Amino acid sequence: MERIIMRKILYTNAQLISNMGDGMQQIALYWYIYTLTGSPLSIGIMIAIYYLPSMGLSPFAGALSDLIHPKRLTIIVNFFRGIAVLILALVIWFEVSSLYLLYLFQWIMAILYTIYKPASQRFIKHSFYRKEIPSIMALSNSLEQVGYILGTGLAGYLITILPVSITIGLNGISFVLTGLLFRYISLVANPEKTINHHTYRSMIAEGIQYIKSKPDLK
């Protein structure tokens, strides 16, 4: 029972911290871009860049989450997200950033998030017992929204008293902390046998062919 409670505590705290960091970064980054360019269009492009990769890469990200151990992939992606955000914070701190460089970092973060999402879903399935999964999934979705709202509100306050780079850097730390919390969550089920690269390519090809065969999906 104690291990079950500990898994839930670790997971829910990791989710809350990660999504708060996301909210903080987005508000701080949008504010910085607006002060840099004075153009609302640049913010719109930034938002579009964050969501575009999920439209084209989600099938590949889902297959990748089958190829690599879900816990390992989730931790690795969080650490890479943390490193990318900390580099972005340094770039802004030393004032060497350009608009296109910021767009590039946003694109990288969007790709990493697209990989993270299906991996985190599979991670849940192997970290909790079957009867716990529906409640954990519902809680995870709720924490995603709550954490993002809290993060945006906190960022709105922090950017008035701290440099934007520090606010963004806090998000990088949140990703690293999330990865560490995930590291200590024990699994209750072994992942299915990982697929090889040939099967991975076949899965992608089959998925694309299925979409082509369904006009509504296309």
Side-chain angles (χ1 to χ4, degrees):
M1 180 62 70
E2 289 182 359
R3 294 186 66 181
I4 294 174
I5 294 174
M6 183 56 65
R7 274 196 298 269
K8 289 183 178 180
I9 291 174
L10 288 172
Y11 183 80
T12 53
N13 278 280
Q15 282 289 89
L16 187 61
I17 291 170
S18 176
N19 288 297
M20 281 185 65
D22 264 341
M24 289 172 59
Q25 177 183 318
Q26 294 307 316
I27 294 299
L29 193 54
Y30 297 158
W31 173 255
Y32 179 72
I33 288 176
Y34 185 73
T35 58
L36 190 68
T37 66
S39 169
L41 178 61
S42 62
I43 299 177
I45 294 173
M46 202 70 168
I47 295 172
I49 288 174
Y50 191 74
Y51 289 103
L52 279 174
S54 64
M55 298 172 62
L57 296 179
S58 290
F60 300 91
L64 183 64
S65 68
D66 290 329
L67 180 65
I68 302 176
H69 190 299
K71 180 177 179 178
R72 183 179 303 117
L73 182 59
T74 303
I75 294 171
I76 289 172
V77 171
N78 267 298
F79 277 115
F80 272 110
R81 292 168 84 189
I83 291 170
V85 173
L86 288 172
I87 292 174
L88 173 61
L90 289 173
V91 165
I92 294 174
W93 175 267
F94 289 107
E95 299 181 348
V96 295
S97 56
S98 69
L99 185 60
Y100 294 109
L101 186 59
L102 296 175
Y103 285 160
L104 175 62
F105 272 103
Q106 184 79 331
W107 182 261
I108 292 171
M109 291 301 297
I111 292 174
L112 290 173
Y113 178 76
T114 303
I115 296 172
Y116 169 79
K117 196 63 178 176
S120 66
Q121 298 297 314
R122 287 196 70 229
F123 183 36
I124 290 175
K125 295 179 181 179
H126 295 290
S127 301
F128 300 94
Y129 293 105
R130 186 182 298 272
K131 63 181 181 181
E132 299 174 308
I133 289 177
S135 62
I136 291 296
M137 294 286 282
L139 181 60
S140 175
N141 291 330
S142 298
L143 287 173
E144 183 173 346
Q145 301 302 321
V146 171
Y148 195 85
I149 291 171
L150 291 174
T152 55
L154 182 59
Y157 171 70
L158 289 178
I159 60 178
T160 64
I161 61 173
L162 295 172
V164 172
S165 57
I166 293 180
T167 304
I168 293 175
L170 290 174
N171 183 39
I173 296 172
S174 77
F175 283 135
V176 174
L177 182 57
T178 299
L180 290 174
L181 290 174
F182 282 153
R183 170 69 179 81
Y184 291 102
I185 295 177
S186 58
L187 301 180
V188 297
N190 291 321
E192 299 88 353
K193 183 179 179 181
T194 55
I195 58 177
N196 56 41
H197 291 277
H198 176 72
T199 309
Y200 173 70
R201 291 193 296 269
S202 300
M203 289 173 62
I204 293 295
E206 290 174 6
I208 293 174
Q209 188 60 40
Y210 180 77
I211 292 173
K212 288 181 177 179
S213 68
K214 302 291 182 181
D216 291 340
L217 285 178
K218 192 186 301 184

